[in-house]
Amino acid sequence: MKQMIQGSGWQGLTSEEVEDSRQQHGTNVLTAPPKASLWAQYLEKFQDPIIRILLFAWVLAMVIAAIHCWGPDQTGWKAFMEPLGILFAIILASSVGFLFELKAAKAFVVLNRVNDDIPVTVIRNGHVAETTRADIVVGDIVMLDTGDEIPADGLLLEAVSMQVNESTLTGEPVTSKTTREADFDLDATYPSNHVMRGTTVMNGHGIMQVVAVGDATEYGKVNQGAQMDNNLDTPLQLQLQRLANLISKASYTVAIVTFLALSIKVLIEADGMGIFGIFEQILHNFMIAVTLVVVSVPEGLPMSVTISLALSMNRMLKTNNLVRKMHACETMGATTVICTDKTGTLTQNQMRVASTSFYALKDQEQGNDLCSRLIREGIAANSTANLSGEADSIKTLGNPTEAALLLWLHDAGYDYGQLRAGAKVLSQLTFSTERKYMATVVMSPQTGTKVLYVKGAPEIVLGLCSNVALPDGNRPASEMRSDIEACLLAYQSRAMRTLGFAYKMIKADDDDAPYVDGRLTLHDLTFLGVAAISDPVREDVPCAVDECRKAGIDIKIVTGDTPATAREIARQIGVWQDGDANDRIITGAEFEALTDDMAAQRARSLKIMCRARPTDKQRLVRLLQGQDAVVAVTGDGTNDAPALKAAQVGLSMGDGTSVAKEASDITILDNSFASIAKAVMWGRSLYCNIQRFLLFQLTINVVACSIVLICSLLGMGSPLTIAQMLWVNLIMDTFAAGALASLPPDPAVMLDKPRRSGADGDFIITRAMAWRILVTGLLFTVILMCALLYMHHKDDISALDLSRFFTFFVMLQVWNMFNARAFNTHRHVFSGIRKCKSFLGVVLQIVCGQILITTFGGSMFHAAPLPISEWLLIAALSAPILLLGEMEGLVPVGKKHR
């Protein structure tokens, strides 16, 4: 590269060299993440374990339908009604999830649009020219000015008072850049004479030569690393796989036992039946066994889970959580560890004045009136920063530290613009890393004479002063030095940046500049005081962090910032306590040096990782996941992208980089950690609602399977037709899923500890749920079989009898929805029901649907219209099932919510 610099000089590349470089090193465009086709995205939905069971059940149902259609019964095409219903459930469940994620993806594309047509000033063919960022090539000479976004990685050829915001890559909002080796910061993440793509020049100007473009830049490398798939199943997917295995084993076991029992019965009673008669009976028994498998599969479950997730996606958007992947809704509720970035997530990513110590002001507002006016004028005039926007949405331009001072003036009610306009600048020394101060000479309307204002590193500025301004006059600086140093130490112990301020009045007729060769020649200035500046913690963060910690979630700060700054922020938000051991904080370099076993041991107890690089964050996430932790990662910078991708849930900020947002599962639109706590509450509430639906759905399946089994053993036909079971298992269950998913989130879930994940973790069907399903299912079965046996005592079972039985079966499930709603809340069944308008609306729709079916269903549903008196009687006879829910409501609440 040195040869290239010497060879091209300041002439830049020629047009031919530009093309050669582009051919050799590529273009300055990041490779977009691979996008699966819409068809491939749709087929992904069929990976769901319950969908796979349904597909198997559909195949079995098709076999049964074919035998009924073309076998001895000759029932015709209506035999295919059930397999068509199952196929409809499969397509509907997969399509709803696909369409909701597609909608979220379109919203995300608008949010994350990248513009490669940003203009860049370059030197080519010996002339200054303007081109686009995409057109930049290796070897280009690029001119950088305040406010410019650096288009590619480069080596600085010249740097004048240059400061760069590297927060997108390292978390550092202000990093000084220089070409003088003596001033290099050896602890900096990137060399002091290198600038990186995606960072922004905050102050000064410079010239760089491009050394890497596109995917070869540090920004591009992180972008590529963030595109690798983590191939992790979500906690809900793991739970549904276990549920699918349980349903499969249970249904196959029941089917096999039933088939063997019925077949043995046939063989015992086979006298005079003949070989073909025995074969026909065994085939009939096989069809009964297959029917049991089909009936035991909850056809509505995939659709119901999908609806629950989809509704949560929409409702979470209203709380500023843009969910891109549906399962991320629930995974947030299973989170056990949150690894959070600092800058822009915990803090405002805007420097503000935290405290001031102006010694001439007794209460930092009133005191020496002249000094008070000089402080305001000096801050306004001795600065290159600016503010823009309206009063309620002010944006800062230029150096963030200087802008913080202007914001301080604005908050105090002073217009820096008027102060700056009134003080005519006569000469100025901009800030540089070499001298560590800025000096400006103005014609001051406050004094009617020239005034030299100086601000910079307090120890340097104090060294230029002979006096310190106090309310009642000046005092020798030597007498105040110990007090000032103690003040600085107190600020610096809280990881604050400090600036010192001084002034000197100059005679109006003195035309000599107070500096020579970029250095002040005066050493008798008056010291005004110190301002402490920091990136303040967002107001809602401490409460949100406390809420997450009470919920049993471990909060870890992972940042590229310094140890002192990271520790102070952790202290302010309640993560770091004064008695914490030093082994709970580690630097990225120290973490990299540890073996995997040692790093895994440290990972659990770790509270802070500072000076972290992208690979360090990613490794921490992997090690935590290896210990069965469900990890959520928050971040807004490109450096956060690999960890965002590796986590079970990646949470990017709305104003974060495009790479970070592309790697995430959820985008926090308001950049607030409080929204993350809300997402956890939504996730846990969603999981509870899915459990409630499973309680409701599996009870139906247990009852239906039991009735088919008992009727088969007794030689009775099933009282429930295929059309009726499709109404219950598909339409009614789907409505029930919507009703239970519409229940508002319960803040009480944040009092629980996270559920255990992994192979030995908590199962979605808890012991209490299993007992409730079995007890309720057994009770329903006994009641329904008594009703069925009573009907069989009659000479002829009419359509009206079947309609009563079917309606009674449905009303038992309707009342059981209320029990499911109250499950695990330890509240009465109807407690807070007025707030659940959506739930009541769905219950009303199910009842109205049942009325329509019995009234107009006719032969299709084997139903007949029921008079209003019988409807009221059936509702009253089935309502006592609510007592099961009331009995749980009487159980006192323990230490845990669930």
Side-chain angles (χ1 to χ4, degrees):
M1 188 55 62
K2 289 183 179 180
Q3 292 178 350
M4 186 178 292
I5 294 171
Q6 294 169 359
S8 62
W10 293 102
Q11 298 297 309
L13 299 179
T14 64
S15 299
E16 292 78 11
E17 289 173 331
V18 168
E19 291 303 319
D20 290 343
S21 180
R22 186 174 289 116
Q23 291 294 324
Q24 182 178 353
H25 301 286
T27 61
N28 192 33
V29 176
L30 299 179
T31 301
K35 295 290 185 183
S37 65
L38 293 179
W39 180 245
Q41 292 178 48
Y42 179 69
L43 290 179
E44 283 182 7
K45 300 303 171 187
F46 289 86
Q47 299 299 317
D48 187 286
I50 303 296
I51 291 282
R52 289 180 175 180
I53 286 186
L54 274 184
L55 286 170
F56 181 67
W58 173 72
V59 172
L60 294 180
M62 286 292 290
V63 172
I64 295 176
I67 294 173
H68 279 303
C69 180
W70 294 298
D73 295 341
Q74 294 287 319
T75 56
W77 292 102
K78 67 179 184 180
F80 288 95
M81 184 180 295
E82 181 165 7
L84 286 175
I86 296 175
L87 183 62
F88 174 74
I90 294 171
I91 294 174
L92 194 60
S94 55
S95 298
V96 168
F98 168 72
L99 291 175
F100 268 88
E101 288 192 352
L102 190 64
K103 178 184 175 183
K106 289 181 179 178
F108 179 77
V109 167
V110 174
L111 176 70
N112 205 33
R113 187 171 289 136
V114 178
N115 182 14
D116 279 319
D117 295 330
I118 296 173
V120 178
T121 303
V122 297
I123 301 176
R124 286 181 179 174
N125 298 307
H127 301 286
V128 176
E130 191 174 86
T131 187
T132 63
R133 178 169 65 182
D135 189 53
I136 294 295
V137 298
V138 171
D140 260 328
I141 304 297
V142 178
M143 303 178 70
L144 302 172
D145 207 346
T146 300
D148 288 350
E149 181 179 320
I150 296 169
D153 289 1
L155 180 69
L156 287 173
L157 307 178
E158 180 181 319
V160 178
S161 305
M162 194 170 180
Q163 292 179 311
V164 174
N165 180 355
E166 288 188 346
S167 60
T168 58
L169 279 176
T170 66
E172 285 278 9
V174 180
T175 304
S176 296
K177 296 295 180 179
T178 180
T179 56
R180 290 184 54 186
E181 291 189 18
D183 296 317
F184 282 7
D185 181 0
L186 300 180
D187 293 327
T189 307
Y190 298 109
S192 297
N193 64 336
H194 280 67
V195 287
M196 304 296 164
R197 176 185 172 128
T199 60
T200 306
V201 180
M202 303 304 296
N203 191 39
H205 57 86
I207 297 175
M208 78 169 194
Q209 183 171 45
V210 176
V211 297
V213 295
D215 293 337
T217 63
E218 290 298 310
Y219 193 98
K221 291 174 184 177
V222 176
N223 178 53
Q224 290 296 303
Q227 293 176 23
M228 292 185 289
D229 193 355
N230 61 16
N231 292 319
L232 289 174
D233 287 330
T234 68
L236 183 60
Q237 288 172 329
L238 293 173
Q239 294 283 0
L240 292 179
Q241 286 174 7
R242 291 178 65 182
L243 178 60
N245 291 335
L246 176 64
I247 292 173
S248 299
K249 291 176 181 178
S251 61
Y252 297 155
T253 301
V254 171
I256 292 171
V257 170
T258 301
F259 174 74
L260 291 176
L262 292 175
S263 298
I264 291 172
K265 180 182 177 183
V266 168
L267 294 176
I268 292 174
E269 300 173 353
D271 291 344
M273 191 177 295
I275 189 68
F276 289 105
I278 294 174
F279 177 77
E280 184 179 352
Q281 285 297 316
I282 290 178
L283 180 61
H284 177 71
N285 295 342
F286 175 76
M287 290 171 61
I288 291 175
V290 173
T291 302
L292 282 172
V293 173
V294 174
V295 169
S296 65
V297 175
E299 291 96 338
L301 181 56
M303 181 65 190
S304 305
V305 171
T306 300
I307 286 178
S308 299
L309 293 171
L311 287 175
S312 293
M313 280 181 71
N314 273 354
R315 295 170 73 185
M316 287 176 70
L317 183 59
K318 296 177 182 178
T319 59
N320 297 305
N321 291 277
L322 173 59
V323 181
R324 298 177 58 207
K325 299 175 182 177
M326 279 203 307
H327 280 276
C329 299
E330 185 280 328
T331 307
M332 278 304 301
T335 298
T336 58
V337 179
I338 297 178
C339 296
T340 177
D341 183 34
K342 178 188 74 68
T343 307
T345 306
L346 302 177
T347 64
Q348 299 176 14
N349 199 18
Q350 184 176 75
M351 306 298 286
R352 301 297 294 255
V353 174
S355 181
T356 59
S357 296
F358 292 115
Y359 298 102
L361 309 181
K362 292 180 180 179
D363 58 3
Q364 301 306 305
E365 292 184 3
Q366 296 180 351
N368 188 317
D369 182 63
L370 176 61
C371 285
S372 178
R373 287 184 280 121
L374 290 175
I375 289 169
R376 294 195 295 269
E377 183 180 76
I379 289 174
N382 189 29
S383 174
T384 58
N386 286 282
L387 304 180
S388 67
E390 302 297 328
D392 58 345
S393 60
I394 291 180
K395 295 183 179 180
T396 61
L397 304 173
N399 183 284
T401 304
E402 291 189 334
L405 296 169
L406 300 185
L407 286 171
W408 181 72
L409 282 181
H410 177 270
D411 293 342
Y414 298 103
D415 186 341
Y416 85 95
Q418 291 183 359
L419 292 169
R420 184 178 292 178
K424 182 181 179 182
V425 176
L426 303 177
S427 63
Q428 189 173 76
L429 275 179
T430 58
F431 180 87
S432 73
T433 54
E434 293 81 15
R435 56 176 170 265
K436 292 183 172 54
Y437 61 78
M438 177 180 181
T440 302
V441 178
V442 303
M443 179 56 72
S444 172
Q446 308 296 333
T447 63
T449 185
K450 295 178 182 178
V451 178
L452 166 66
Y453 291 111
V454 178
K455 75 167 185 290
E459 60 277 10
I460 301 297
V461 174
L462 183 60
L464 299 172
C465 299
S466 58
N467 297 298
V468 177
L470 298 176
D472 53 356
N474 293 343
R475 188 174 175 182
S478 58
E479 298 178 11
M480 292 288 295
R481 181 174 293 276
S482 60
D483 292 340
I484 295 172
E485 290 176 346
C487 174
L488 291 175
L489 186 61
Y491 286 144
Q492 290 164 0
S493 67
R494 294 166 56 192
M496 294 182 179
R497 300 172 185 266
T498 53
L499 284 177
F501 299 84
Y503 80 98
K504 178 176 176 59
M505 295 186 185
I506 302 174
K507 294 179 181 180
D509 58 355
D510 188 351
D511 295 329
D512 294 334
Y515 26 75
V516 176
D517 296 331
R519 297 281 179 175
L520 281 172
T521 57
L522 303 177
H523 290 79
D524 56 349
L525 280 65
T526 300
F527 192 74
L528 289 169
V530 177
I533 298 171
S534 65
D535 182 7
V537 168
R538 294 178 182 271
E539 292 182 3
D540 55 359
V541 166
C543 289
V545 168
D546 183 60
E547 186 178 9
C548 288
R549 296 184 69 198
K550 287 180 179 177
I553 299 173
D554 190 15
I555 307 294
K556 301 181 186 296
I557 297 178
V558 187
T559 177
D561 222 323
T562 64
T565 301
R567 196 193 304 254
E568 174 59 22
I569 294 299
R571 185 192 64 79
Q572 291 182 30
I573 66 174
V575 170
W576 186 268
Q577 310 299 327
D578 291 337
D580 282 337
N582 288 330
D583 64 353
R584 308 199 78 172
I585 181 172
I586 195 171
T587 65
E590 293 169 343
F591 190 70
E592 183 184 33
L594 297 176
T595 64
D596 283 347
D597 290 340
M598 295 175 63
Q601 292 178 4
R602 289 287 298 273
R604 269 296 187 185
S605 62
L606 206 61
K607 286 190 173 185
I608 302 170
M609 181 185 289
C610 50
R611 291 298 188 195
R613 295 155 297 187
T615 52
D616 301 322
K617 298 181 182 183
Q618 190 177 34
R619 185 187 184 206
L620 175 63
V621 171
R622 296 290 192 199
L623 290 172
L624 289 169
Q625 290 170 338
Q627 301 175 58
D628 289 333
V630 178
V631 185
V633 171
T634 73
D636 63 343
T638 301
N639 57 325
D640 300 313
L644 288 169
K645 191 69 174 181
Q648 277 98 338
V649 184
L651 300 132
S652 62
M653 300 298 115
D655 60 359
T657 66
S658 59
V659 175
K661 286 184 283 190
E662 188 67 49
S664 66
D665 304 296
I666 300 175
T667 299
I668 309 298
L669 299 178
D670 62 352
N671 306 316
S672 172
F673 196 90
S675 294
I676 298 172
K678 291 178 183 175
V680 173
M681 181 183 69
W682 273 103
R684 291 189 176 187
S685 297
L686 172 61
Y687 186 77
C688 290
N689 288 342
I690 291 175
Q691 284 184 310
R692 293 181 181 115
F693 172 75
L694 286 173
L695 181 72
F696 171 79
Q697 165 87 76
L698 295 180
T699 299
I700 294 177
N701 285 91
V702 167
V703 174
C705 192
S706 299
I707 289 175
V708 171
L709 175 60
I710 294 172
C711 288
S712 300
L713 293 174
L714 296 178
M716 300 164 55
S718 174
L720 298 173
T721 67
I722 292 174
Q724 290 172 350
M725 285 306 299
L726 287 177
W727 156 250
V728 172
N729 274 343
L730 293 182
I731 310 303
M732 179 177 159
D733 286 356
T734 300
F735 275 87
L740 294 170
S742 70
L743 297 176
D746 186 359
V749 297
M750 296 299 283
L751 300 177
D752 294 350
K753 298 301 180 185
R755 65 180 188 270
R756 293 179 299 121
S757 60
D760 300 325
D762 297 328
F763 187 32
I764 194 169
I765 305 296
T766 63
R767 182 172 296 181
M769 288 176 64
W771 275 110
R772 173 69 78 84
I773 290 169
L774 292 175
V775 170
T776 306
L778 178 62
L779 181 61
F780 282 11
T781 301
V782 170
I783 293 171
L784 290 168
M785 286 305 303
C786 289
L788 189 61
L789 291 173
Y790 172 77
M791 290 192 307
H792 271 271
H793 279 296
K794 299 172 62 176
D795 293 335
D796 184 36
I797 299 178
S798 65
L800 186 60
D801 291 329
L802 290 174
S803 187
R804 289 167 181 155
F805 182 87
F806 177 42
T807 301
F808 186 63
F809 176 79
V810 169
M811 287 306 300
L812 284 174
Q813 310 307 331
V814 168
W815 293 123
N816 197 38
M817 277 181 61
F818 288 88
N819 288 342
R821 170 189 168 273
F823 181 73
N824 252 356
T825 63
H826 299 285
R827 293 194 290 263
H828 295 293
V829 171
F830 293 107
S831 177
I833 195 67
R834 292 182 180 179
K835 297 179 181 178
C836 303
K837 295 180 180 178
S838 298
F839 178 87
L840 292 175
V842 171
V843 171
L844 182 61
Q845 289 175 10
I846 292 174
V847 174
C848 290
Q850 183 65 21
I851 293 173
L852 291 174
I853 285 174
T854 55
T855 305
F856 304 106
S859 60
M860 179 178 179
F861 284 91
H862 287 236
L866 298 176
I868 186 66
S869 59
E870 292 202 18
W871 269 102
L872 294 175
L873 180 62
I874 290 173
L877 290 175
S878 57
I881 201 66
L882 292 171
L883 293 175
L884 284 176
E886 283 297 324
M887 289 170 62
E888 189 202 13
L890 297 175
V891 177
V893 181
K895 291 184 179 180
K896 285 173 66 71
H897 170 65
R898 292 194 305 277

